[in-house]
Amino acid sequence: MQLPTNAFKAALRAGRPQIGLWLGLADAYASELFASTGFDWLAIDAEHAPNDPRSVLSQLQALAPYPVQAVVRTPSADATLLKQYLDIGAQTLLVPMVESAEQAARIVAATRYPPEGIRGVGSALARASRWNQVGDYLHRSTLEICVLVQVESAAGLDNLATIAATEGVDGVLFGPADLAASLGLLGKTADARVQDAITRGIETVRTAGKAAGVLSADPAIARKYLASGVLFVAVGIDTTLLVRAATDLRAMFKDVAALPQSSATPER
C-alpha cells in the first residue's frame, strides 16, 4: 500500500496558488458536499468549531475520494493533540497562535519520529499508516507531512522572520481577525493597518523561501493578497456562506407578511 501523496504540499513547493474554503460546520456530510465544489483545499477547524479527533476523522474519510486536500487546524500546539491528528490521517496541520521560532520548532518536532522529533510511535493503531500496511511509513511519513503555523499577533509579527526560517515549517498563515485584535483593531480586519502588516509579513515569509497564506472572505482583499504573493488563500467560510444565503433567500419574501390574509377557511 502506498503512502498518500500530499498534493497541497507539492503545489506549495511548486509555487502554485491554492484556493481553499474554511469548514466550521463540523459535519462529514457537509464537508463532503464542499469537497465536490472544486476547491484545492478545505480547512477543517478544530480550534473554533466544535470538532474533536473523531469528527475530524469522519471528515477526512468523507474528503478522501475527492481531489481536494484537507488542512486540519488544531486547537493548540499541544504535542499529544498533534500526534492524534497525524495518526488519524491528517497530512497537513495548521497550528494557531505561534509567536516564536522556539514554539515553531517544537511543533515541527511533534510531527517527526525520533531521533528527529518526539512523535510517539503508534503506527499499528494509525489510519495514517493504514495500520502498518503502508511500506516503511515510519521513515517516509515526513515526506508528505506539511506543517503550517499561524501568525496572528503583534508578537508573532515581531518574530516572523525566525518563525518562517524554522526548519520543517512549510508555510505561515496570517490570521486577520486575531491579528487585528492584537493590534488594537478588534473586528477591523479590512483596516489598512492590518492589511499592510499582512502584506509586509507575506514578503518576509517569501524571503525565507516558505509559502504564505491567509484567510479572507472579501474577494477583493483575497485577490490583493494573491497579488502580493500568497500561495494558499481561504476565500470563504462554510458557516458564513450558509447564513448569508439563507438570510438573502428569506429577504426575498419579506413582502409576504404585508399581503392581505385570506379569509377562506382551509378545507379539512
Side-chain angles (χ1 to χ4, degrees):
M1 193 169 290
Q2 297 297 311
L3 180 67
T5 299
N6 188 337
F8 177 81
K9 181 176 182 177
L12 296 188
R13 290 196 166 184
R16 297 194 303 272
Q18 300 291 286
I19 305 301
L21 184 74
W22 219 264
L23 302 182
L25 290 171
D27 181 85
Y29 196 80
S31 294
E32 184 175 6
L33 180 156
F34 286 109
S36 71
T37 60
F39 286 96
D40 300 308
W41 60 284
L42 298 172
I44 303 173
D45 195 329
E47 183 188 16
H48 290 295
N51 275 307
D52 59 21
R54 277 202 172 273
S55 65
V56 171
L57 169 61
S58 65
Q59 290 172 81
L60 291 173
Q61 292 169 325
L63 268 53
Y66 297 87
V68 62
Q69 292 293 133
V71 173
V72 176
R73 179 160 77 168
T74 64
S76 70
D78 181 83
T80 299
L81 281 174
L82 302 189
K83 173 177 59 181
Q84 285 186 298
Y85 286 113
L86 289 173
D87 282 352
I88 62 174
Q91 288 186 304
T92 301
L93 298 181
L94 171 61
V95 183
M97 297 292 183
V98 176
E99 297 187 328
S100 71
E102 292 76 17
Q103 186 183 8
R106 289 194 298 271
I107 291 166
V108 172
T111 70
R112 271 62 168 161
Y113 289 118
E116 288 79 17
I118 60 169
R119 180 182 175 187
V121 182
S123 55
L125 302 173
R127 175 176 178 267
S129 69
R130 298 306 184 265
W131 305 278
N132 272 348
Q133 296 180 89
V134 171
D136 203 22
Y137 175 82
L138 295 179
H139 293 95
R140 298 176 58 245
S141 60
T142 302
L143 297 174
E144 303 299 339
I145 290 175
C146 182
V147 177
L148 307 175
V149 297
Q150 192 162 349
V151 169
E152 44 195 336
S153 69
L157 287 179
D158 289 342
N159 296 316
L160 180 58
T162 55
I163 291 171
T166 302
E167 183 70 27
V169 168
D170 295 289
V172 177
L173 183 137
F174 296 97
D178 280 298
L179 182 56
S182 180
L183 297 176
L185 299 165
L186 180 63
K188 299 179 180 179
T189 57
D191 190 285
R193 288 166 288 182
V194 177
Q195 293 187 45
D196 289 345
I198 291 175
T199 300
R200 292 193 300 272
I202 292 167
E203 183 58 33
T204 299
V205 173
R206 294 182 65 196
T207 298
K210 305 297 177 66
V214 72
L215 164 63
S216 177
D218 183 316
I221 295 176
R223 286 187 176 278
K224 173 185 174 181
Y225 290 139
L226 283 164
S228 297
V230 298
L231 284 181
F232 59 108
V233 184
V235 295
I237 304 171
D238 60 355
T239 51
T240 303
L241 293 174
L242 183 59
V243 169
R244 183 180 298 141
T247 301
D248 290 347
L249 180 60
R250 180 64 185 91
M252 294 178 187
F253 296 90
K254 281 189 175 179
D255 62 308
V256 172
L259 294 176
Q261 299 299 305
S262 172
S263 59
T265 302
E267 294 184 4
R268 294 184 181 276

